């Protein structure tokens, strides 16, 4: 799967896509899965509840956000790949996080959910043709391809891991 062109996604996502290294995206997503599981498993219960500032999410809430966001991105990817031309809306990440109540869950449960979601993402991508990955739909009022969404998933995770390393640890 080749890197998407700038006209395949909303400019809001340019930074995420730019974080994704060169190489096979499925390999990159599998490596992320292994590395992120190890990374989050090494975080203590106490540290998983740390917030670097008032009103910011804890580490486990950031992980929960990654899970929710990947689910939403995969829905968008699936809808476009199946030819759905309905405009796909944004979502309120803060409302999702608040209502998910990740703060009441042990980080191990969120890690397990992350693994389940990523494996589903990999399964979906493995079954899509190159032509399907280039179909066009509308996300956030902008033409978007499934290929771009797959790159956004990888880059979004890299973005948040960078923030965790810089501000939480």
């Amino acid at each position: 799967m080749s890197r998407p062109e700038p006209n395949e996604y909303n400019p809001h996502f340019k930074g995420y896509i730019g974080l994704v290294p060169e190489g096979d995206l499925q390999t990159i997503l599998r490596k992320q899965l292994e590395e992120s599981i190890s990374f989050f498993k090494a975080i203590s219960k106490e540290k998983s509840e740390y917030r670097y500032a008032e009103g910011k999410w804890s580490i486990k809430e950031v992980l929960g956000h990654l899970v929710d966001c990947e689910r939403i991105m995969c829905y968008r990817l699936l809808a476009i790949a199946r030819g759905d031309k309905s405009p796909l809306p944004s979502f309120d990440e803060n409302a999702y996080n608040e209502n998910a109540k990740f703060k009441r869950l042990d980080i191990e449960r969120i890690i397990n959910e992350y693994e389940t979601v990523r494996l589903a993402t990999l399964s979906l991508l493995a079954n899509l043709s190159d032509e399907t990955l280039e179909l066009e739909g509308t996300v956030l009022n902008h033409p978007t391809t499934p290929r771009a969404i797959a790159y956004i998933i990888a880059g979004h995770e890299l973005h948040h891991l960078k923030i965790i390393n810089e501000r939480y640890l």
Side-chain angles (χ1 to χ4, degrees), residues 66-118:
L66 290 174
V67 172
D68 280 352
C69 195
E70 187 157 336
R71 275 193 170 115
I72 291 165
M73 289 294 180
C74 274
Y75 167 72
R76 292 170 175 173
L77 191 156
L78 175 67
I80 296 168
R82 297 297 193 250
D84 189 340
K85 297 295 185 186
S86 303
L88 300 165
S90 64
F91 71 102
D92 183 342
E93 63 190 32
N94 290 310
Y96 271 65
N97 210 293
E98 181 61 33
N99 288 306
K101 308 281 189 231
F102 292 118
K103 56 188 160 206
R104 69 172 169 74
L105 299 175
D106 290 330
I107 193 166
E108 294 82 15
R109 288 185 65 187
I110 306 168
I111 292 168
N112 290 339
E113 193 169 356
Y114 162 78
E115 181 177 21
T116 300
V117 170
R118 178 54 59 91

Side-chain angles (χ1 to χ4, degrees), residues 123-166:
S123 177
L124 174 61
L125 289 172
N127 293 308
L128 297 178
S129 68
D130 289 341
E131 296 80 25
T132 300
L133 289 166
E134 295 177 7
L135 292 176
E136 191 175 284
T138 304
V139 175
L140 305 177
N141 299 312
H142 197 281
T144 306
T145 63
R147 173 174 61 184
I149 295 171
Y151 269 82
I152 292 165
I153 289 168
H156 179 253
E157 183 168 322
L158 292 168
H159 165 77
H160 281 289
L161 289 173
K162 182 175 187 263
I163 290 172
I164 289 171
N165 278 306
E166 290 174 355

Side-chain angles (χ1 to χ4, degrees), residues 3-64:
R3 187 174 293 276
E5 297 297 324
N7 65 333
E8 293 181 49
Y9 54 88
N10 188 302
H12 169 78
F13 298 115
K14 180 181 180 183
Y16 295 154
I17 292 172
L19 292 174
V20 180
E22 293 299 325
D24 176 67
L25 187 63
Q26 290 239 21
T27 302
I28 291 165
L29 288 167
R30 282 189 194 288
K31 184 177 177 189
Q32 270 187 341
L33 172 63
E34 295 167 11
E35 291 175 352
S36 291
I37 287 173
S38 294
F39 176 79
F40 285 107
K41 280 186 174 183
I43 295 173
S44 69
K45 178 184 183 329
E46 296 75 27
K47 192 67 170 174
S48 74
E49 296 172 0
Y50 173 73
R51 300 165 191 276
Y52 71 88
E54 182 70 30
K56 296 297 182 182
W57 293 337
S58 67
I59 291 175
K60 63 185 180 178
E61 288 172 319
V62 172
L63 177 57

